[in-house]
Amino acid sequence: MTSNTAPPAIPPSAASPAEERQIQIHLRKIPLLSELSDEEVLAIKPEMRIRQYAKREVVLHKGGSGDGLLFLLSGSLQVIDVTEDGRAIGLRMLVPGDFFGEIALINGSTRSASVVAMSDVLVAFLPAPVAMNLFSHSPSVARQMLRHLAQKIQRDSEFRALLSINNTAKRIYSYIVLMQKKNPDGTVVENLPTHQDIANMINTSRETVTRALLTLVQQGIVQKEPHRLLIKNPDALQKLVQGD
Protein backbone atom coordinates (compact mmCIF):
# COMPACT_ATOMS: atom_id res chain seq x y z
CA MET A 1 0.00 0.00 0.00
CA THR A 2 1.24 3.47 -0.75
CA SER A 3 1.82 6.20 1.83
CA ASN A 4 -1.04 8.20 3.36
CA THR A 5 -0.13 11.29 1.38
CA ALA A 6 -3.07 12.12 -0.86
CA PRO A 7 -2.34 11.44 -4.55
CA PRO A 8 -2.36 14.26 -7.06
CA ALA A 9 -5.46 14.99 -9.09
CA ILE A 10 -6.13 12.35 -11.70
CA PRO A 11 -4.68 13.64 -14.97
CA PRO A 12 -6.74 13.81 -18.16
CA SER A 13 -6.66 10.70 -20.30
CA ALA A 14 -4.36 10.70 -23.30
CA ALA A 15 -6.17 7.74 -24.86
CA SER A 16 -5.85 6.80 -28.49
CA PRO A 17 -9.01 6.74 -30.67
CA ALA A 18 -9.25 2.96 -30.19
CA GLU A 19 -8.93 3.38 -26.41
CA GLU A 20 -11.52 6.14 -26.46
CA ARG A 21 -13.98 3.77 -28.15
CA GLN A 22 -13.30 1.19 -25.46
CA ILE A 23 -13.89 3.79 -22.75
CA GLN A 24 -17.19 4.67 -24.41
CA ILE A 25 -18.21 1.01 -24.21
CA HIS A 26 -17.25 0.90 -20.53
CA LEU A 27 -19.26 4.02 -19.74
CA ARG A 28 -22.40 2.56 -21.29
CA LYS A 29 -22.03 -0.41 -18.92
CA ILE A 30 -22.09 1.76 -15.81
CA PRO A 31 -25.59 1.38 -14.31
CA LEU A 32 -25.71 4.98 -13.13
CA LEU A 33 -25.16 6.21 -16.70
CA SER A 34 -27.01 3.45 -18.55
CA GLU A 35 -30.17 5.47 -19.24
CA LEU A 36 -28.44 8.61 -20.48
CA SER A 37 -28.85 9.45 -24.13
CA ASP A 38 -25.85 9.12 -26.44
CA GLU A 39 -25.69 12.91 -26.55
CA GLU A 40 -25.56 13.15 -22.76
CA VAL A 41 -22.83 10.51 -22.56
CA LEU A 42 -20.81 12.32 -25.22
CA ALA A 43 -21.23 15.56 -23.26
CA ILE A 44 -19.79 14.17 -20.02
CA LYS A 45 -17.17 11.91 -21.60
CA PRO A 46 -14.65 14.77 -22.18
CA GLU A 47 -14.95 15.62 -18.46
CA MET A 48 -13.94 12.10 -17.44
CA ARG A 49 -10.35 11.64 -16.31
CA ILE A 50 -9.01 8.12 -16.65
CA ARG A 51 -6.31 6.61 -14.47
CA GLN A 52 -4.84 3.19 -13.90
CA TYR A 53 -3.84 1.92 -10.46
CA ALA A 54 -1.68 -1.07 -9.62
CA LYS A 55 -2.68 -3.76 -7.15
CA ARG A 56 -2.62 -2.53 -3.51
CA GLU A 57 -2.35 1.11 -4.57
CA VAL A 58 -4.63 3.55 -2.74
CA VAL A 59 -7.27 5.06 -5.04
CA LEU A 60 -8.98 7.21 -2.39
CA HIS A 61 -7.62 8.24 1.01
CA LYS A 62 -9.80 8.56 4.09
CA GLY A 63 -10.02 12.25 4.98
CA GLY A 64 -9.48 13.41 1.41
CA SER A 65 -11.79 15.97 -0.20
CA GLY A 66 -15.01 14.94 -1.91
CA ASP A 67 -13.92 16.48 -5.19
CA GLY A 68 -15.65 14.10 -7.57
CA LEU A 69 -17.48 10.86 -8.33
CA LEU A 70 -15.48 7.80 -9.34
CA PHE A 71 -16.41 4.79 -11.45
CA LEU A 72 -14.67 1.43 -11.53
CA LEU A 73 -14.22 0.42 -15.17
CA SER A 74 -12.16 -2.75 -14.72
CA GLY A 75 -10.55 -4.75 -11.92
CA SER A 76 -11.68 -4.88 -8.28
CA LEU A 77 -11.46 -2.48 -5.34
CA GLN A 78 -11.98 -2.78 -1.62
CA VAL A 79 -13.38 -0.07 0.64
CA ILE A 80 -11.48 -0.12 3.92
CA ASP A 81 -11.40 1.71 7.22
CA VAL A 82 -8.52 1.78 9.69
CA THR A 83 -9.13 1.18 13.40
CA GLU A 84 -7.48 3.20 16.16
CA ASP A 85 -4.91 0.44 16.61
CA GLY A 86 -3.99 0.58 12.92
CA ARG A 87 -5.84 -2.50 11.65
CA ALA A 88 -7.36 -2.29 8.17
CA ILE A 89 -10.99 -3.44 8.17
CA GLY A 90 -12.57 -4.28 4.83
CA LEU A 91 -16.04 -2.79 4.47
CA ARG A 92 -17.10 -3.96 1.02
CA MET A 93 -15.84 -4.92 -2.41
CA LEU A 94 -16.41 -2.92 -5.61
CA VAL A 95 -16.70 -4.48 -9.05
CA PRO A 96 -16.77 -2.98 -12.58
CA GLY A 97 -19.80 -0.74 -13.00
CA ASP A 98 -19.80 0.38 -9.37
CA PHE A 99 -19.31 4.04 -8.45
CA PHE A 100 -17.93 5.45 -5.23
CA GLY A 101 -17.15 8.70 -3.45
CA GLU A 102 -20.78 9.81 -3.65
CA ILE A 103 -21.33 10.50 0.08
CA ALA A 104 -18.49 13.00 0.46
CA LEU A 105 -19.51 14.57 -2.86
CA ILE A 106 -23.16 15.05 -1.87
CA ASN A 107 -22.35 16.18 1.68
CA GLY A 108 -19.42 18.36 0.69
CA SER A 109 -17.45 16.49 3.34
CA THR A 110 -14.21 14.51 3.49
CA ARG A 111 -13.88 10.86 2.49
CA SER A 112 -15.10 8.54 5.25
CA ALA A 113 -13.02 5.54 4.14
CA SER A 114 -10.14 4.59 1.88
CA VAL A 115 -10.39 2.59 -1.34
CA VAL A 116 -7.59 0.20 -2.31
CA ALA A 117 -6.98 -1.64 -5.59
CA MET A 118 -7.21 -5.42 -5.18
CA SER A 119 -5.94 -5.92 -8.74
CA ASP A 120 -4.78 -3.66 -11.53
CA VAL A 121 -7.73 -1.32 -12.05
CA LEU A 122 -9.02 1.32 -14.44
CA VAL A 123 -10.97 4.14 -12.78
CA ALA A 124 -12.89 7.09 -14.25
CA PHE A 125 -13.11 10.33 -12.26
CA LEU A 126 -15.95 12.81 -12.86
CA PRO A 127 -15.33 16.25 -11.26
CA ALA A 128 -17.80 17.35 -8.60
CA PRO A 129 -19.51 20.18 -10.59
CA VAL A 130 -20.25 17.83 -13.51
CA ALA A 131 -21.48 15.06 -11.25
CA MET A 132 -23.72 17.40 -9.25
CA ASN A 133 -25.13 18.78 -12.49
CA LEU A 134 -26.04 15.23 -13.51
CA PHE A 135 -27.78 14.66 -10.17
CA SER A 136 -29.77 17.88 -10.62
CA HIS A 137 -30.69 17.67 -14.30
CA SER A 138 -30.86 13.98 -15.20
CA PRO A 139 -33.97 12.25 -13.77
CA SER A 140 -32.55 8.80 -14.56
CA VAL A 141 -29.31 9.50 -12.69
CA ALA A 142 -31.18 11.04 -9.72
CA ARG A 143 -33.55 8.06 -9.59
CA GLN A 144 -30.72 5.52 -9.67
CA MET A 145 -28.73 7.45 -7.09
CA LEU A 146 -31.71 7.42 -4.71
CA ARG A 147 -32.10 3.68 -5.27
CA HIS A 148 -28.39 3.18 -4.65
CA LEU A 149 -28.45 5.15 -1.39
CA ALA A 150 -31.48 3.22 -0.15
CA GLN A 151 -29.76 -0.07 -0.96
CA LYS A 152 -26.60 1.15 0.76
CA ILE A 153 -28.51 1.91 3.95
CA GLN A 154 -30.09 -1.55 3.86
CA ARG A 155 -26.77 -3.26 3.09
CA ASP A 156 -24.98 -1.43 5.90
CA SER A 157 -27.75 -2.42 8.31
CA GLU A 158 -27.48 -6.07 7.25
CA PHE A 159 -23.71 -5.98 7.62
CA ARG A 160 -23.93 -4.53 11.13
CA ALA A 161 -26.33 -7.34 12.02
CA LEU A 162 -23.87 -9.86 10.56
CA LEU A 163 -21.00 -8.54 12.65
CA SER A 164 -23.10 -8.96 15.80
CA ILE A 165 -23.31 -12.75 15.29
CA ASN A 166 -21.16 -14.41 17.94
CA ASN A 167 -20.79 -17.76 16.19
CA THR A 168 -17.93 -17.29 13.73
CA ALA A 169 -19.01 -20.02 11.29
CA LYS A 170 -22.54 -18.58 11.14
CA ARG A 171 -21.02 -15.15 10.53
CA ILE A 172 -19.13 -16.53 7.52
CA TYR A 173 -22.20 -18.33 6.17
CA SER A 174 -24.27 -15.17 6.63
CA TYR A 175 -21.65 -13.19 4.71
CA ILE A 176 -21.93 -15.64 1.80
CA VAL A 177 -25.71 -15.24 1.82
CA LEU A 178 -25.31 -11.45 1.66
CA MET A 179 -22.95 -11.83 -1.31
CA GLN A 180 -25.39 -14.28 -2.88
CA LYS A 181 -28.14 -11.65 -2.88
CA LYS A 182 -26.18 -9.60 -5.43
CA ASN A 183 -26.88 -12.26 -8.07
CA PRO A 184 -30.42 -12.18 -9.54
CA ASP A 185 -30.96 -15.94 -9.30
CA GLY A 186 -28.99 -16.39 -6.08
CA THR A 187 -26.92 -19.33 -7.33
CA VAL A 188 -23.53 -17.67 -7.82
CA VAL A 189 -21.27 -15.45 -5.73
CA GLU A 190 -19.16 -13.59 -8.27
CA ASN A 191 -15.87 -11.78 -7.56
CA LEU A 192 -15.38 -13.68 -4.32
CA PRO A 193 -12.81 -11.86 -2.15
CA THR A 194 -9.76 -13.75 -0.92
CA HIS A 195 -10.06 -15.64 2.35
CA GLN A 196 -7.93 -12.96 4.02
CA ASP A 197 -10.15 -10.16 2.72
CA ILE A 198 -13.27 -11.95 3.97
CA ALA A 199 -11.60 -12.46 7.33
CA ASN A 200 -10.78 -8.75 7.55
CA MET A 201 -14.35 -7.78 6.71
CA ILE A 202 -16.04 -10.01 9.27
CA ASN A 203 -13.44 -9.86 12.05
CA THR A 204 -12.04 -13.38 12.04
CA SER A 205 -8.95 -15.25 10.83
CA ARG A 206 -8.11 -16.42 7.32
CA GLU A 207 -7.80 -20.01 8.60
CA THR A 208 -11.33 -19.88 10.02
CA VAL A 209 -12.72 -18.69 6.69
CA THR A 210 -10.84 -21.45 4.85
CA ARG A 211 -12.22 -24.13 7.20
CA ALA A 212 -15.80 -22.84 6.91
CA LEU A 213 -15.69 -22.79 3.11
CA LEU A 214 -14.12 -26.25 3.03
CA THR A 215 -17.00 -27.52 5.18
CA LEU A 216 -19.51 -26.11 2.68
CA VAL A 217 -17.66 -27.77 -0.20
CA GLN A 218 -17.45 -31.12 1.58
CA GLN A 219 -21.17 -31.03 2.34
CA GLY A 220 -21.97 -30.31 -1.30
CA ILE A 221 -23.55 -26.96 -0.46
CA VAL A 222 -21.17 -24.92 -2.62
CA GLN A 223 -18.69 -25.53 -5.41
CA LYS A 224 -15.62 -23.33 -5.26
CA GLU A 225 -14.17 -21.92 -8.48
CA PRO A 226 -11.52 -19.24 -9.03
CA HIS A 227 -12.94 -15.98 -7.64
CA ARG A 228 -16.48 -17.28 -7.30
CA LEU A 229 -18.77 -19.76 -5.53
CA LEU A 230 -21.55 -21.80 -7.09
CA ILE A 231 -24.37 -22.23 -4.56
CA LYS A 232 -25.55 -25.79 -5.19
CA ASN A 233 -27.90 -26.05 -2.21
CA PRO A 234 -29.23 -22.61 -1.14
CA ASP A 235 -31.72 -24.13 1.31
CA ALA A 236 -28.97 -25.99 3.18
CA LEU A 237 -26.89 -22.81 3.34
CA GLN A 238 -29.87 -20.90 4.75
CA LYS A 239 -30.39 -23.59 7.40
CA LEU A 240 -26.78 -23.21 8.53
CA VAL A 241 -27.34 -19.46 8.89
CA GLN A 242 -30.53 -19.95 10.89
CA GLY A 243 -29.33 -22.91 12.95
CA ASP A 244 -28.38 -22.77 16.61
Side-chain angles (χ1 to χ4, degrees):
M1 188 178 299
T2 59
S3 68
N4 289 330
T5 301
I10 299 175
S13 169
S16 68
E19 289 170 329
E20 289 290 344
R21 285 194 295 272
Q22 185 62 34
I23 292 169
Q24 172 73 4
I25 293 171
H26 279 305
L27 293 183
R28 299 304 298 169
K29 291 182 179 180
I30 296 172
L32 187 68
L33 307 179
S34 63
E35 296 181 30
L36 294 179
S37 68
D38 289 342
E39 290 77 12
E40 288 173 317
V41 171
L42 289 173
I44 67 170
K45 181 180 162 187
E47 304 293 340
M48 287 281 189
R49 305 174 190 176
I50 311 300
R51 186 173 180 182
Q52 291 181 318
Y53 293 86
K55 183 177 180 179
R56 297 298 176 185
E57 192 173 357
V58 179
V59 177
L60 282 185
H61 290 260
K62 181 177 180 178
S65 64
D67 55 353
L69 185 65
L70 298 96
F71 303 88
L72 178 57
L73 302 181
S74 65
S76 62
L77 296 169
Q78 185 175 32
V79 182
I80 67 169
D81 198 1
V82 179
T83 63
E84 291 183 358
D85 60 1
R87 291 187 301 114
I89 303 297
L91 302 179
R92 64 184 179 278
M93 303 297 295
L94 301 174
V95 298
D98 285 343
F99 59 89
F100 54 104
E102 72 283 357
I103 301 300
L105 172 64
I106 293 171
N107 288 343
S109 59
T110 58
R111 308 290 188 189
S112 60
S114 295
V115 178
V116 178
M118 305 308 292
S119 66
D120 291 343
V121 299
L122 187 66
V123 171
F125 174 90
L126 191 63
V130 182
M132 293 302 291
N133 184 67
L134 268 181
F135 299 161
S136 301
H137 294 90
S138 172
S140 70
V141 171
R143 182 171 59 252
Q144 292 194 60
M145 179 60 72
L146 286 172
R147 185 183 303 121
H148 163 79
L149 293 174
Q151 291 171 344
K152 179 178 173 62
I153 292 171
Q154 180 180 3
R155 183 176 64 247
D156 289 349
S157 176
E158 291 173 337
F159 199 75
R160 282 194 297 271
L162 182 154
L163 291 177
S164 71
I165 299 172
N166 291 326
N167 184 295
T168 306
K170 283 180 63 175
R171 195 156 69 241
I172 295 168
Y173 302 148
S174 298
Y175 172 78
I176 294 172
V177 169
L178 283 182
M179 294 284 288
Q180 177 189 351
K181 289 181 180 180
K182 294 183 178 182
N183 186 281
D185 62 10
T187 61
V188 182
V189 174
E190 298 283 3
N191 301 295
L192 184 71
T194 67
H195 293 188
Q196 185 61 63
D197 289 333
I198 294 174
N200 291 343
M201 281 186 272
I202 63 175
N203 194 26
T204 187
S205 68
R206 180 182 60 80
E207 292 77 13
T208 302
V209 173
T210 299
R211 285 196 299 270
L213 290 178
L214 180 60
T215 296
L216 295 180
V217 171
Q218 291 173 338
Q219 294 181 4
I221 296 175
V222 304
Q223 178 180 324
K224 198 168 185 302
E225 298 183 353
H227 307 298
R228 73 174 190 164
L229 283 180
L230 300 180
I231 311 298
K232 301 175 68 175
N233 192 336
D235 291 339
L237 179 59
Q238 193 62 47
K239 286 180 180 178
L240 287 174
V241 169
Q242 297 173 345
D244 296 328

